[in-house]
Amino acid sequence: MFSKVLIANRGEIALRILRACRRLGITSVVAYSEADRESRAVQLADEAICVGPPESRRSYLNAPSLLSAALLSGCEAIHPGYGFLSEDDTFAEMTRAHGLAFIGPPPEVLERFASKAGTRTLLAKHGLPTIPGSGLLRDDAQALSEAERIGYPVLIKPSAGGGGKGMRMVRSPRELQQAMTVCRSEALAAFGDDSLYLEKWLEENRHVEVQVIVDRFGNGVHIGERDCSVQRRHQKIVEEAPSPALDQGRREELADNAIRAVVAAGYENLGTLEFLLDRDGNHYFIEINCRIQVEHPVTEMLSGLDLVVEQMRIAAGEPLGYGQQDVVLRGHAIEFRINAEDTEHDFRPQAGVVENYLPPGGPGVRMDSHLYSGYEVPPYYDSLLGKLIVWGPDRTAAIARSRVALDELIVDGIVTNIPLHRALLSHSTFLDGEFTTNLLDRVGSGAFLAASRAA
Amino acid sequence: MDDEGRRTIARLAGDTLPRLIERLTKSELGELEVRENGWRIRLRRPFLNGEPAEAADVRSGRDRARAAGAGATGQPHADRPAIASRAGHPQRAEAARGLVTSPGVGFFVARDGVGVGFKVSSGDLLGHVDVLGVRQEIVAPVEGVVAAVDVEAGQAIEYGQPVARVEANVQ
């Protein structure tokens, strides 16, 4: 195992990685931008190195700066967290070229799974059902003919990246032509790559993903699925496991398919396979995330595994050491993303000082957050303030505990989406486990907020 | 202010401003300006002149003199760019006072002959920071005399770390 690790990220995930390092007795070095000098991770780190100005392009995305920081502090490995450089095969390659370990898939694995269109073809070959779609689009004319072949509505998707940027659902050739330009420029701005492809749009679908771990010797296990159907503009808001939309047979079929395909395709380290679930419970593979995910604690609550520790063990070359029969999933867990955004005003991101912060407690309640009273949320990065994760022996118990926890959680001084979470928990669609990915966008979050006020 | 003016300013402050802030943050531009119905929003990076500038400038072209007195206060979200200025680049302001900070993470490479008492013009090379074998220049921010060198040759330095101080010539 490594003795010193550079944490090349910020916010709650930097803190999460730091905790895993502590548990393993690894010395942590936090790389931070000038805007994060007062962050909790920097305060708690064994060592901290300023790697650049607030703009992430010159700090958290600045590969030479991060590598230099790792080398001069004597680190043996870099943990990239999620976002930023976490799935960048060039960065992983540079890391290795400087004699350091990249905590994630090796560069050639990242490269193999870098293109979403290529990954779908590869995993379809290994038996995963995929949504009808196009290859990478050359031009608008090809987009039009491919959309005609697939059948409207179609989803325009960027080949690189995620998070809903550069993504549009279109219902006609006219909408397609209009959206292509916007999607290209959004994709270029967000990921530096404007290649797009098309996918058939499934109405009323659910988003379900399977967590996998594979060591470098080809031993792999799945750790069940997560349901991330509560979304707004393709951004996840609430995640839970197990999925209320799958019966035991479908659940096992999905997870078994996923792990069999990625092992056969030569995947390594922690990963998540995302699927869409149609109304009839059929699953279609959409993409793989080659990193630790925001919603990983949901799986940790069910399995008792520390996924960041597992990630580090595998990157250090250790064998998995257990099999599928050893992975036991218990109870139900729900994660609420606490974001600094104004749900009443189109989810406008907020920045400012958190005057008072009090996390909730009690059995089954976990709060992963970098907040503290007096912390100033900088305006440069995403709006995630933390995650409330609640476990219960079953879904009803988890929801009851979630209500108590959300009522206890205090984040003063900054507008957050906590009211939306409370509203969701009092809405029959969520309580009945019938959320679909387009629901919030279709009816608007205002409808949920208004319903909870009326109740 | 008439109703149309109020609507325009609400839209500028509520919708346009956050988008401009995002764009300015991502870009290397120093300033962005948008005009609509005789109103304009101008965003300036707060550290360009070494002094925290007024970050947001929302005022009417018809009524500039009066609006200038009121500044941007009282407008919804006028506080948001001010946050950006607080978290801005402290070393730019320090540079104006002659503090030399490191532009990168790496090992300090001294320039021969540079030491206390060395006379420099603004922009003169004081040394380098070696970032993975690529040298980034460390230059004098003002004309004057080197008053202190805080790091030794070969020392590991981080971004923004004070490297030297130049005492500016009294004009």
Side-chain angles (χ1 to χ4, degrees):
Chain A
M1 182 50 75
F2 314 115
S3 58
K4 199 169 184 182
V5 166
L6 185 90
I7 302 172
N9 214 299
R10 61 175 306 281
E12 67 88 19
I13 195 64
L15 203 52
R16 172 72 187 85
I17 298 163
L18 193 141
R19 287 173 176 146
C21 287
R22 285 270 153 88
R23 204 201 107 182
L24 293 171
I26 296 170
T27 304
S28 59
V29 182
V30 169
Y32 66 95
S33 83
E34 280 183 317
D36 286 329
R37 196 176 293 279
E38 305 299 327
S39 71
R40 192 80 184 109
V42 170
Q43 291 170 0
L44 284 177
D46 295 307
E47 294 170 34
I49 298 181
C50 182
V51 291
E55 301 95 291
S56 41
R57 199 174 47 77
R58 293 177 61 201
S59 48
Y60 298 111
L61 287 170
N62 184 342
S65 199
L66 294 165
L67 288 167
S68 188
L71 289 172
L72 62 81
S73 57
C75 287
E76 295 161 340
I78 298 181
H79 198 308
Y82 50 63
F84 297 130
L85 292 169
S86 59
E87 293 177 276
D88 189 312
D89 54 306
T90 308
F91 180 61
E93 182 61 58
M94 286 167 79
T95 304
R96 183 162 68 184
H98 282 92
L100 305 168
F102 179 80
I103 300 175
E108 52 281 354
V109 172
L110 282 175
E111 201 185 342
R112 191 180 316 153
F113 293 91
S115 151
K116 292 189 191 180
T119 302
R120 285 191 315 174
T121 313
L122 175 66
L123 291 183
K125 239 181 272 170
H126 290 289
L128 286 190
T130 54
I131 301 177
S134 73
L136 288 186
L137 300 168
R138 279 191 314 274
D139 49 35
D140 288 11
Q142 195 202 7
L144 284 167
S145 66
E146 284 293 286
E148 210 56 53
R149 183 180 62 78
I150 299 160
Y152 289 95
V154 295
L155 190 63
I156 306 171
K157 296 182 84 173
S159 180
K165 295 206 177 67
M167 227 188 259
R168 289 284 188 292
M169 188 267 279
V170 293
R171 296 185 179 275
S172 68
R174 208 173 66 92
E175 281 183 24
L176 177 76
Q177 275 176 307
Q178 285 167 349
M180 285 292 286
T181 317
V182 181
C183 290
R184 273 195 210 287
S185 64
E186 274 188 21
L188 189 66
F191 319 115
D193 177 357
D194 69 352
S195 44
L196 304 172
Y197 66 99
L198 300 178
E199 215 169 69
K200 178 147 186 66
W201 172 258
L202 300 177
E203 304 275 358
E204 303 294 323
N205 64 63
R206 298 184 69 109
H207 175 118
V208 175
E209 57 189 28
V210 178
Q211 178 74 62
V212 297
I213 314 181
V214 188
D215 69 14
R216 72 176 55 162
F217 314 103
N219 306 305
V221 294
H222 71 74
I223 319 173
E225 87 285 2
R226 294 183 288 259
D227 191 313
C228 316
S229 300
V230 183
Q231 300 187 358
R232 185 190 156 268
R233 298 195 188 155
H234 309 288
Q235 303 254 21
K236 299 164 187 170
I237 298 178
V238 175
E239 299 97 342
E240 64 180 310
S243 168
L246 290 168
D247 59 35
Q248 198 52 32
R250 294 268 191 186
R251 186 185 321 286
E252 279 167 21
E253 184 197 346
L254 168 69
D256 289 345
N257 277 351
I259 188 63
R260 202 177 316 121
V262 279
V263 169
Y267 190 75
E268 183 182 322
N269 209 288
L270 206 69
T272 300
L273 288 87
E274 297 195 336
F275 294 85
L276 286 186
L277 215 61
D278 70 13
R279 253 175 293 205
D280 306 317
N282 301 307
H283 60 261
Y284 304 91
F285 171 72
I286 42 175
E287 63 182 72
I288 186 164
N289 295 314
C290 307
R291 57 167 192 267
I292 187 83
Q293 284 196 275
V294 175
E295 60 270 28
H296 74 275
V298 169
T299 302
E300 294 182 327
M301 299 296 265
L302 261 59
S303 65
L305 286 165
D306 182 324
L307 294 181
V308 179
V309 167
E310 292 305 290
Q311 217 181 0
M312 291 204 261
R313 282 206 311 115
I314 286 158
E318 289 183 21
L320 192 57
Y322 49 88
Q324 193 64 58
Q325 71 283 355
D326 302 312
V327 178
V328 181
L329 302 174
R330 283 183 55 248
H332 197 97
I334 311 174
E335 175 183 276
F336 303 88
R337 295 195 190 195
I338 310 301
N339 293 335
E341 52 191 24
D342 187 349
T343 50
E344 304 258 5
H345 294 99
D346 200 31
F347 290 77
R348 202 175 291 155
Q350 307 288 307
V353 176
V354 175
E355 280 154 20
N356 198 13
Y357 167 66
L358 279 170
V365 175
R366 163 177 171 183
M367 187 80 200
D368 277 20
S369 171
H370 55 295
L371 294 188
Y372 57 84
S373 296
Y375 172 69
E376 182 171 339
V377 177
Y380 306 99
Y381 311 108
D382 68 36
S383 57
L384 186 71
L385 297 178
K387 297 142 17 181
L388 168 65
I389 311 104
V390 180
W391 182 90
D394 55 40
R395 191 166 189 267
T396 310
I399 287 173
R401 278 181 178 172
S402 297
R403 278 203 196 97
V404 177
L406 280 167
D407 284 345
E408 261 182 56
L409 173 59
I410 293 175
V411 182
D412 280 346
I414 190 163
V415 179
T416 72
N417 64 345
I418 297 170
L420 178 64
H421 289 310
R422 292 208 186 103
L424 288 171
L425 284 183
S426 60
H427 202 275
S428 60
T429 311
F430 182 79
L431 297 178
D432 296 343
E434 282 173 355
F435 236 88
T436 51
T437 53
N438 64 355
L439 186 65
L440 259 181
D441 293 328
R442 199 157 41 90
V443 304
S445 57
F448 288 88
L449 291 162
S452 78
R453 272 195 296 266
Chain B
M1 197 189 295
D2 57 14
D3 276 356
E4 195 201 345
R6 250 188 281 276
R7 272 197 301 277
T8 304
I9 206 160
R11 187 166 57 246
L12 288 173
D15 297 322
T16 314
L17 197 53
R19 267 186 287 127
L20 283 183
I21 292 167
E22 194 185 341
R23 200 171 303 168
L24 191 70
T25 308
K26 282 181 184 157
S27 74
E28 282 194 304
L29 299 172
E31 190 172 305
L32 277 177
E33 186 172 311
V34 167
R35 288 167 196 269
E36 196 177 325
N37 284 353
W39 294 79
R40 67 192 175 100
I41 285 189
R42 191 169 71 211
L43 275 180
R44 225 178 5 237
R45 278 191 196 271
F47 43 78
L48 279 183
N49 304 315
E51 291 292 328
E54 189 183 10
D57 190 346
V58 183
R59 66 183 72 153
S60 163
R62 291 168 296 196
D63 199 7
R64 197 163 295 162
R66 196 150 53 86
T73 50
Q75 304 302 338
H77 297 281
D79 57 321
R80 296 183 60 215
I83 289 154
S85 82
R86 274 210 302 283
H89 293 227
Q91 82 272 27
R92 303 294 173 103
E94 286 159 355
R97 298 198 303 270
L99 191 70
V100 184
T101 57
S102 172
V105 185
F107 294 99
F108 178 64
V109 183
R111 182 187 160 197
D112 282 346
V114 173
V116 173
F118 189 75
K119 285 199 177 76
V120 290
S121 298
S122 173
D124 275 2
L125 189 70
L126 295 177
H128 288 95
V129 54
D130 184 312
V131 183
L132 301 182
V134 178
R135 288 181 168 197
Q136 294 184 19
E137 291 186 347
I138 301 173
V139 296
V142 290
E143 183 182 335
V145 176
V146 174
V149 178
D150 302 320
V151 293
E152 286 168 29
Q155 185 180 327
I157 51 176
E158 64 180 350
Y159 179 88
Q161 182 171 337
V163 169
R165 195 163 48 79
V166 176
E167 203 148 285
N169 290 340
V170 180
Q171 302 286 314

